[in-house]
Each structure stands twice: as C-alpha cells, then as structure tokens.
Amino acid sequence: MQNLVIVESPAKSKTIQGYLGKDFVVKSSMGHIRTLADKEFEGEITKKYTPTYEVLPEKKKVVSELKKDVKNAQTVWLATDEDREGEAIAWHLFDELKLKEANTRRIVFHEITKDAIQKAVASPRNIDLNLVDAQQARSVLDKIVGFELSPVLWRKVKNGLSAGRVQSVTVRLVVEKERDIQAFKPTSYYKIVAVFTDGNKSFRAELKRNFATKEETLDFLELCKKATFKITKVETNQGKRTPAPPFTTSTLQQEASRKLGFSVSQTMRVAQTLYEAGKITYMRTDSVNLSDLALATTKAEVISIAGNKYHKLRKYTTKIKGAQEAHEAIRPTYMNTSEIDGTTQEKRLYSLIWKRTIASQMADALIEKTNVEIAVSSSKEVFVATGEVIKFDGFLKVYMESRDDDQDDTSEQGENLLPSLKTGQSLDRQDLTATQTYTRPPFRYSEASLVKKLEELGIGRPSTYAPTISTIQNRGYVEKKDIPVEKQETTIITLKKESIKEEIKASKTTFDKGKLVPTDIGMVVNDFLIENFPQILDYGFTANIEGDFDNIAEGKMNWRDELISFYEKFHPEVDKAVKKAGKTTGERFLGNDPKTGRPVFVRIGRFGTLAQIGDSKDEEKPVFAAMQKGQSLETITLEEALELFKLPLHLGSYQGKELIVATGRFGAYLKFGDTNISLPKGENPLEMTFEKAVELVEKPRLPITVGKHENEDVIVAAGRFGAYIKFGAINVSIPRGENPFEITLERAVELIKNKTEGKTATNTEIKVFENEDIRVLNGRYGAYISHAKKNYKIPKDLVPEQITLEQAKEIVSGEPAAKRKSFKKSTK
C-alpha cells in the first residue's frame, strides 16, 4: 500500500476515497480511539503530570486493523477534522499506532471536495501540539471536575448523580430562569387602538400611553365620544434592513430550531452527514468568513437568480471573543446547487444553509417608514400610526432571519400601508378598542435560545453546545416539554359611534412548546453546588477557563500550569464539602397539618419527590406520600400536599372486590382485589371516581394468553418497562408502536424466533459493520443499538424501526451509552 489516509468516520472515508484514486486507501478510526484512564486522578496534579490514556474497548479491533494497515503503508496521512478535537484524534492515532514523523503527514480541509482534498495533500503540515494541549487540558480538567464532584453528590444528595464543569453551569442558567418566572407577578394595563379614516381608506393607530386602570380607560373613552382628531405630524424616513452573516455552529443551531423545529443535536447530526457527503463546509466553526472562491461563486449565483442590482459584496469578520476556528462559515460547497438529494431533514437543512449564504451577499432591503401623530381635541393624549413599505426587497427575496420569543417581532409583521396623509388634516374616528393586557414573565429557554446564551457568556465552544444540552436532559436535570400557559380573563372595552360596550374574554390555556424546565433534582443539585462550589458554578470563571484554553491553543500558556492552578483551588473545596454533616434533600416546610398539628414537608426521597407529615425526631413515626407528576418541590402548596395523603382512596366495592386508588414506587394505580391496574397517562389519582374505576376494570388488560407454541403458553404481559411476550423462560419486548392487545399468536411466535435466532427485536434485518453485527434492539429502558458488545442510545428524533445502516453507523461512531461507575477514589 502506497498511501494510507485515516479519517474519523466511514461516511467521510467513502467520499474522500472517490477523490484520491487507486494510490490511496482511506480508512476510518470511528471517532476517538482513546480516553483518559478511570484511575487517572489518584494523586496530585503536578508539573510532572502526564495523562494516562487507554484504548476504548469498542475500538480495540479498529486500532488493531489500523496497525496492520500502517505496517503496509509507505506514507500515512492523518486527515481528521481541523479543530482541536480533530487535532487531538490525529495525535492519539500518531501515538497509539507508533507512527514516525518521517512518513506521517497531517492534512486539513474545511470542505470535502476534490479541489480541497488535493490541495490539502499538496500542502501537509505537522500535528499542532498547541491545539492538542488545549484539547488535553479541556479533557483532563473536565474529568477532574466529574471525578471529584460526582461522588460528593452521591454522598450528600442522591446516588447516581453527576456534575460537570460546563454541564452544571448550563443547568444553573435554566434553574435561575425558572425561579425568575416563579417570582414574577403579572400586572395588567389597558392598551388602546383606534381605527381612523381619511374618507377613503381606514388605518390603525395606537395611543402613545397605556392606562393602568379600567377607570382611567373609561374616562378617556368618554372624552373621545365628542372629540375631533387632527394630524399634527407626518414624518417619513428611508430605512434599510441588512442580511444576517453566514452560519456559525451556534447560529445554525438556533435558526434550525426556529425555522425547522430541529433539536441542537439533530441539527449537528444532519449537518455532519451533509459535510461528510461533501455538500457543506465543516459544521463546527465560530467563523462568519467566506473564502474568495465562495464570494465569487455566490456572486454569480445571486446575479443568475435575481440580477446585478441584488448583489452586494460583504466580507464578515468574527466578533465572538475567543473564537477558535479561523476557517470559513458553514456554507454549501457548490453555491450553484440550490437543492440536493437526500433525506427530508438533509434537504431542509441544506436549503436553509444555501439561502442564508446567498442572502449574506445580497443588497439591503430598502424600507420607507412613515410615522403619523394624531391629536385628540378633548385630551392631551396622542395616537401614533406607523406605516412601513418595502420599496426594494433585496435579500428578503431569498431569506428572512427568525427571532426568539423574547425579541421584538414587529419587523416581521409585514407591511402596514397608510393612505397619503398631511399635517393639519382632520380624520374621522370609526372605533376605539381598549384591551386589558398583562405583563409577560421571562421566556423559558428553548434549546436555540440556550445556545445563544451560552455563546454570549463565552461558555463552551461550537463542539460542546449540542452535547451539553443533550447531557443535562439525559441526566434528568432538565426536561424539554410543552408548558401549559393559562391566559387570564381579559376585559375589552369598545367605543363605537357614541356607545361604550364592555365584554369579558374568557381565560384559555395555550402551550409554550419545546421549552427547557429544570426538574426537582436539577434544582436541588444546583443549589448544593452553588453553596459548596460557587467558583465552579460562576459564569465568569467558566468563561475565563475557555479563554485559557484559547491561550493554550495559541501557545501563550502552558496547559499543565492551567491544570495545577485549577486543581489547587478546587480540591480543598471538595474536602470541605465532604466533611459537612448531613444530606441535602431540598426539604421545604409547608406548614402544619390542621388535623394533627404536625409539620408538613416536601423533599427528595430515595424513589423521587415526596410529602411528609411529622418529623423523624418525633415519637410518632412520620407518614409519607409520593408527589404526583407535574408537582414541584418549589411550588406545591400545603393544601396540595395534604391532598396526597388521601391516598389510598377507597371508591367502593365492585363484583365483591374493593376498588382502591393507591400510589407506589412507579406511580398511581387502581387496586382491584389482587389485581393492580396502572392509571391512564395524565389521570389525576385524586380525581378518580367509582365510574372511571369500573371502566378501567372492564377494559381488556394484560396478561393475555394468545395461544400455545410447542405446548407452551404464549403470554402477552405488562412489565415495569412496557408490554412484553412471555414464553417459558424467554421474555421478548414488543416493538414500539405495536398494540399489545393486537398481538396474534403468529406475530408473537415470529418475535420469539427473532430473539432465539439472534435477529433484532424490532424485526429489522441484522446489518454487518466493521465485521460486527449492528443490531437495533428493545431493552428495558427502550430501543438501543448494539455493536461490538457495546450499547448506544438512539436519539429521540429517530424511529428505531426505521433506522438505516448509515444512521446506525453514525450513532455507533459516537460515545456508547454511559454506565454508572463506582469510583473507589478517596475524597480525603
């Protein structure tokens, strides 16, 4: 073999192989091959410290194959990504494969095109050890924090918890936002909008000030009954709107969330697929810069689709402090390709990137804005009408940037045309409407707005935003959910002609979709960490560490010095926290039980949140009740907590058996004789009636015997983690989406055979990858991918039964599902 090229992913290797020809063989390392050893931090961090790495168990076969390939190659080309993580992978390959500088080349490129690959091969360089050191510093420092903090949380809060340098700060942002919302007290005011006419055309105007009370509002409307209205000022200004720069990692994540509804991890997964297929440039970048070639090809495309007057050359510069990537923004590799083949997600994301890039090189949109002030003869108040007309659409012909909830959206409301108006002109009033409006609490973070906040604070980098947001959800500290928002009853007062009418608009519930909300355990852990490790949870401190990593990458700082400085401050705080007496449970005193006078608390228990009547110090033992889904330690009231103790609730007798609503470790259920029936999702156990209970009893329920196979009963049963098929000693999960009550004997036997013959539980064929089976399986915690004796979580946006081989390869190329580790390290 003349030339061996090593890249991270198989999809990337396939694309590059097509550009290099028969003299090159392209192989994949399948991502990272090594990790820091688990026993890494049993001693002090000193200037002599050298990290100990070990090959990941699932990569031993890959490394073994690469070692064989290296022996047969004249030249080895390390073609991993050009950011710090990619540089570190190249260094690990160099070290683990025992490569020699004489026949090893490091090449980088930010797009996978024939020209870019051939140019990279023509201009190789050495491994940049400064970038490697910066990545080592990040890995080691993050490992120190997790390794030392997690056991403290196990002792002081609850077993199985974890903490992380960036993860915990991100949770703090979500917790603080939630508490701001809880503390918010809405106030109401009245906003008045008038409809005027000049005799030919009607238009709207808004009163400059709002009224605090209904009385003030009615007084003003009374004054307007006989009033005349005259224009006192007409002002016309020429304005413009400028296109947004091309995408960086964070702006792509934000815009894909707003426009496409993608999660940040979904965006990065699809973008990686597009990059590895040679369709877009590298997707982890802080840069908004476009190359001269990209500028030229974008210009040609703009002129082709819209004409010369729509083009404007724009050269953007990166303003983000500490930006580490000096290459290009995210853009299509070929600007004359506006559409691509691929999955629906790939097509949509590519279209978004193409439009944003094209718009960035287009002319400003020209806007004519007119402001009109209208005086009221009977009052000093003034109405204002604002009209906006797009005189030249410019970049709006292609693309308009979306906005977050908490940004002003007025610029996206479209044109508001006004008739031709003059100062001194009298107007006729058609009607006035006063609407009671309530001040809004702060908006919760979406994934997109949280990425934006992290970037603003300088916390994390393009490669860390998506993993961080996924981690805080996977660890159970934050949930992404649709939040019900109760819109309050509002009063609307209308003046038509000389008649004032009042109506009440009923309250209604809407849903704030896809918002991030802290869980109770997330709040308790956050409070514990802030109290005991304030520096680790400090936004400025975390951002400063990112700045230190930047300095290491630029060769301005020694990475061991950074670790020693951090460790010397951090480790004593760990010792202090361990020595503190007691545990943190988030306990909150609600008041006293009116019946017994005993205190009522809520807190975190072994199996979740619970309410407690009585104190452990009392002679009489405390009694406990599990809190219901949707209830929070911070907001539950004494009355709501006392309601929980009504369980078990005796509803009556049916068919000679007692109907009892009770709650257990896994939630509320209905007890009917010796049978326990789970309550339907969302059902409040305290609102369960006798009639509803009888309906549940009468419904068909598991277990059901569907027939016999080989003289053995085939049973569809209900388990802790969902329905399954029981056949002797064999248990088989029922694939997601299949109704257990519709499982036939034939289907049950098919699933049993699939399991006993080694086929996948989801009834998809086994696919071979890197000489190992890739399987999509159903487990007790849901579907997962099994490969090389390792299990990998399936992202929530993918349907297990529809996963393709390429998608499975991509998942397997990442980190395996985390297992709980028992650290023996002393925290002395």
Side-chain angles (χ1 to χ4, degrees):
M1 185 192 311
Q2 193 171 343
N3 295 281
L4 172 65
V5 180
I6 304 177
V7 297
E8 296 104 314
S9 74
K12 191 174 171 183
S13 65
K14 185 178 176 182
T15 308
I16 293 172
Q17 182 70 72
Y19 295 139
L20 288 177
K22 62 181 182 180
D23 292 335
F24 289 81
V25 174
V26 185
K27 291 294 183 77
S28 167
S29 71
M30 310 300 299
H32 288 275
I33 62 164
R34 299 200 306 193
T35 187
L36 286 161
D38 281 342
K39 296 179 180 179
E40 181 61 16
F41 307 110
E42 293 187 345
E44 297 289 319
I45 301 292
T46 68
K47 283 187 177 291
K48 294 180 180 179
Y49 168 74
T50 300
T52 303
Y53 293 100
E54 57 189 15
V55 175
L56 291 161
E58 68 272 19
K59 297 297 173 65
K60 286 181 178 177
K61 190 172 233 178
V62 174
V63 170
S64 177
E65 292 295 325
L66 287 174
K67 283 180 176 178
K68 291 177 188 176
D69 292 329
V70 165
K71 287 178 182 178
N72 298 323
Q74 293 178 23
T75 306
V76 178
W77 305 78
L78 300 176
T80 51
D81 293 335
E82 65 174 322
D83 59 8
R84 294 175 196 169
E85 195 167 3
E87 204 72 20
I89 292 173
W91 177 79
H92 282 294
L93 286 166
F94 183 90
D95 190 57
E96 185 63 33
L97 302 179
K98 304 294 187 286
L99 300 179
K100 297 175 183 177
E101 287 189 21
N103 69 335
T104 303
R105 308 284 184 270
R106 171 75 172 119
I107 57 173
V108 294
F109 38 83
H110 62 268
E111 61 185 1
I112 303 175
T113 61
K114 188 171 184 178
D115 287 345
I117 301 302
Q118 290 179 344
K119 186 178 177 182
V121 170
S123 54
R125 63 168 173 79
N126 294 325
I127 293 174
D128 188 333
L129 293 178
N130 288 329
L131 292 181
V132 174
D133 287 346
Q135 187 63 26
Q136 282 199 107
R138 178 188 292 279
S139 299
V140 174
L141 198 148
D142 287 349
K143 185 94 173 182
I144 290 171
V145 172
F147 192 88
E148 297 218 334
L149 276 192
S150 297
V152 175
L153 291 177
W154 302 347
R155 290 186 183 191
K156 297 298 181 182
V157 184
K158 189 181 178 186
N159 196 33
L161 299 175
S162 73
R165 185 181 58 85
V166 176
Q167 157 195 327
S168 299
V169 173
T170 306
V171 171
R172 179 183 179 180
L173 281 169
V174 180
V175 169
E176 288 183 344
K177 180 72 77 172
E178 191 65 23
R179 285 182 172 149
D180 286 345
I181 293 167
Q182 290 172 1
F184 181 80
K185 303 294 182 190
T187 58
S188 72
Y189 58 91
Y190 286 82
K191 181 168 72 174
I192 298 181
V193 175
V195 178
F196 295 109
T197 178
D198 66 346
N200 298 309
K201 181 177 173 61
S202 298
F203 61 95
R204 287 159 49 95
E206 190 172 316
L207 197 68
K208 262 189 175 180
R209 64 167 288 201
N210 298 319
F211 293 112
T213 65
K214 181 178 173 181
E215 290 70 29
E216 288 179 289
T217 305
L218 287 169
D219 289 344
F220 177 73
L221 294 181
E222 284 290 341
L223 291 173
C224 289
K225 281 184 177 180
K226 302 286 187 182
T228 58
F229 301 87
K230 185 179 287 188
I231 295 173
T232 56
K233 185 179 179 182
V234 177
E235 189 175 72
T236 300
N237 297 307
Q238 303 302 319
K240 65 179 182 179
R241 289 188 204 162
T242 302
F247 282 127
T248 61
T249 301
S250 68
T251 55
L252 177 63
Q253 290 170 343
Q254 292 167 49
E255 196 71 340
S257 174
R258 299 179 194 120
K259 284 190 181 296
L260 309 180
F262 286 8
S263 67
V264 292
S265 58
Q266 182 183 4
T267 298
M268 295 311 292
R269 190 164 54 251
V270 177
Q272 177 125 9
T273 303
L274 292 173
Y275 166 66
E276 292 176 347
K279 292 171 182 174
I280 64 170
T281 53
Y282 190 53
M283 65 286 159
R284 293 188 185 94
T285 175
D286 284 323
S287 176
V288 290
N289 177 54
L290 293 176
S291 68
D292 290 340
L293 177 62
L295 291 172
T297 55
T298 305
K299 176 182 178 180
E301 188 65 13
V302 170
I303 293 171
S304 169
I305 62 177
N308 273 302
K309 68 177 182 178
Y310 277 88
H311 176 259
K312 182 176 181 180
L313 177 66
R314 300 177 191 273
K315 292 191 176 183
Y316 297 94
T317 55
T318 302
K319 295 178 181 177
I320 304 277
K321 183 183 177 184
Q324 70 181 55
E325 281 76 20
H327 44 79
E328 282 196 78
I330 302 169
R331 62 163 175 83
T333 49
Y334 301 104
M335 290 308 305
N336 60 353
T337 303
S338 59
E339 295 180 354
I340 60 164
D341 294 327
T343 65
T344 302
Q345 291 181 354
E346 288 165 7
K347 289 177 179 179
R348 294 178 73 202
L349 190 66
Y350 180 87
S351 177
L352 187 69
I353 294 167
W354 183 85
K355 287 177 180 178
R356 175 83 163 221
T357 310
I358 288 288
S360 75
Q361 297 302 307
M362 292 181 73
D364 295 334
L366 301 180
I367 313 294
E368 183 178 87
K369 193 170 184 178
T370 303
N371 289 314
V372 178
E373 292 190 359
I374 302 161
V376 184
S377 64
S378 56
S379 170
K380 293 180 180 179
E381 304 298 339
V382 175
F383 284 94
V384 177
T386 302
E388 196 172 88
V389 178
I390 298 175
K391 307 297 283 187
F392 174 63
D393 56 358
F395 75 94
L396 295 177
K397 190 179 188 74
V398 173
Y399 180 83
M400 164 67 86
E401 185 180 25
S402 297
R403 295 170 180 269
D404 290 322
D405 292 336
D406 54 355
Q407 290 182 291
D408 184 12
D409 248 358
T410 55
S411 62
E412 292 189 45
Q413 292 175 357
E415 296 184 1
N416 179 29
L417 299 176
L418 296 175
S420 179
L421 301 171
K422 297 178 182 177
T423 303
Q425 182 178 347
S426 294
L427 300 171
D428 293 327
R429 168 185 59 80
Q430 290 185 326
D431 56 63
L432 296 179
T433 302
T435 304
Q436 186 181 22
T437 306
Y438 291 86
T439 52
R440 297 187 302 188
F443 287 97
R444 289 180 175 89
Y445 289 113
S446 63
E447 288 192 353
S449 60
L450 183 56
V451 166
K452 185 178 180 183
K453 186 66 176 179
L454 290 171
E455 186 179 46
E456 286 174 358
L457 293 172
I459 296 170
R461 286 296 181 262
S463 61
T464 65
Y465 298 138
T468 299
I469 290 174
S470 295
T471 297
I472 63 175
Q473 293 177 68
N474 293 339
R475 297 280 163 82
Y477 293 150
V478 170
E479 291 177 329
K480 182 170 148 182
K481 57 201 295 190
D482 298 342
I483 309 295
V485 179
E486 185 75 26
K487 291 203 169 181
Q488 300 187 50
E489 185 179 86
T490 56
T491 301
I492 299 172
I493 308 170
T494 307
L495 169 62
K496 284 193 175 181
K497 296 184 179 179
E498 292 186 17
S499 172
I500 295 176
K501 290 186 177 178
E502 187 177 323
E503 64 173 310
I504 305 295
K505 192 174 181 180
S507 61
K508 65 175 183 177
T509 301
T510 59
F511 285 89
D512 208 2
K513 295 189 175 179
K515 299 302 180 184
L516 298 176
V517 181
T519 60
D520 282 326
I521 193 67
M523 287 183 152
V524 171
V525 168
N526 175 74
D527 293 347
F528 175 82
L529 292 176
I530 286 177
E531 180 184 349
N532 293 282
F533 303 96
Q535 192 174 40
I536 293 292
L537 271 287
D538 182 75
Y539 301 131
F541 177 74
T542 308
N544 288 338
I545 287 179
E546 293 292 347
D548 290 343
F549 293 154
D550 295 335
N551 289 330
I552 294 167
E554 293 167 15
K556 297 176 181 176
M557 182 182 287
N558 181 281
W559 71 286
R560 286 184 179 85
D561 290 343
E562 168 67 15
L563 292 179
I564 292 167
S565 172
F566 176 85
Y567 188 80
E568 286 176 349
K569 296 172 187 171
F570 173 62
H571 189 69
E573 297 299 320
V574 174
D575 289 341
K576 244 192 267 182
V578 169
K579 290 172 183 174
K580 279 189 178 179
K583 292 191 74 168
T584 298
T585 62
E587 184 176 275
R588 179 169 159 249
F589 171 67
L590 301 181
N592 292 314
D593 176 16
K595 291 181 180 177
T596 64
R598 302 177 77 194
V600 180
F601 305 93
V602 286
R603 63 179 177 84
I604 298 280
R606 186 179 171 190
F607 302 115
T609 52
L610 55 86
Q612 170 182 329
I613 296 179
D615 197 304
S616 56
K617 298 172 185 175
D618 296 343
E619 288 185 15
E620 187 180 350
K621 285 185 177 181
V623 289
F624 305 96
M627 288 171 58
Q628 299 301 311
K629 191 172 181 181
Q631 292 181 326
S632 165
L633 290 178
E634 302 222 342
T635 57
I636 191 171
T637 63
L638 175 63
E639 292 71 23
E640 290 168 339
L642 291 173
E643 284 287 307
L644 298 172
F645 291 92
K646 290 182 178 178
L647 299 177
L649 185 63
H650 293 258
L651 300 176
S653 181
Y654 179 65
Q655 295 179 352
K657 298 176 185 177
E658 278 291 306
L659 287 170
I660 303 168
V661 181
T663 186
R665 179 177 172 184
F666 304 111
Y669 63 94
L670 176 67
K671 188 171 178 60
F672 177 59
D674 295 329
T675 304
N676 294 337
I677 305 169
S678 296
L679 297 191
K681 189 176 180 181
E683 183 76 49
N684 186 341
L686 296 169
E687 294 176 1
M688 179 61 66
T689 62
F690 178 80
E691 290 73 23
K692 283 183 183 178
V694 169
E695 278 182 34
L696 286 177
V697 168
E698 292 296 330
K699 274 186 179 179
R701 60 185 181 274
L702 303 178
I704 300 171
T705 301
V706 295
K708 283 186 179 289
H709 175 62
E710 298 176 352
N711 295 319
E712 185 87 48
D713 283 341
V714 178
I715 300 166
V716 179
R720 175 181 171 189
F721 302 104
Y724 67 98
I725 295 166
K726 183 171 178 60
F727 176 63
I730 299 170
N731 293 335
V732 185
S733 296
I734 293 175
R736 188 192 303 178
E738 291 193 37
N739 187 337
F741 295 103
E742 295 175 0
I743 294 288
T744 62
L745 176 61
E746 292 74 18
R747 176 59 174 150
V749 170
E750 180 185 6
L751 290 171
I752 291 165
K753 284 183 177 178
N754 283 348
K755 180 162 185 177
T756 56
E757 294 173 7
K759 293 182 181 178
T760 66
T762 55
N763 202 30
T764 59
E765 64 182 72
I766 297 173
K767 297 164 181 172
V768 177
F769 174 48
E770 297 289 319
N771 300 317
E772 295 281 352
D773 288 342
I774 271 193
R775 305 173 182 219
V776 183
L777 301 170
N778 270 317
R780 64 190 294 195
Y781 298 109
Y784 64 95
I785 287 178
S786 175
H787 170 61
K789 298 182 180 179
K790 289 289 177 182
N791 298 333
Y792 298 81
K793 283 186 178 180
I794 295 176
K796 291 180 181 178
D797 54 284
L798 294 182
V799 179
E801 291 79 7
Q802 298 172 4
I803 284 177
T804 64
L805 178 58
E806 287 305 316
Q807 288 172 324
K809 285 179 181 179
E810 188 181 327
I811 293 166
V812 168
S813 298
E815 294 295 323
K819 291 185 178 179
R820 183 178 297 176
K821 293 181 180 179
S822 178
F823 289 96
K824 295 180 180 178
K825 179 183 183 312
S826 170
T827 52
K828 289 181 182 179

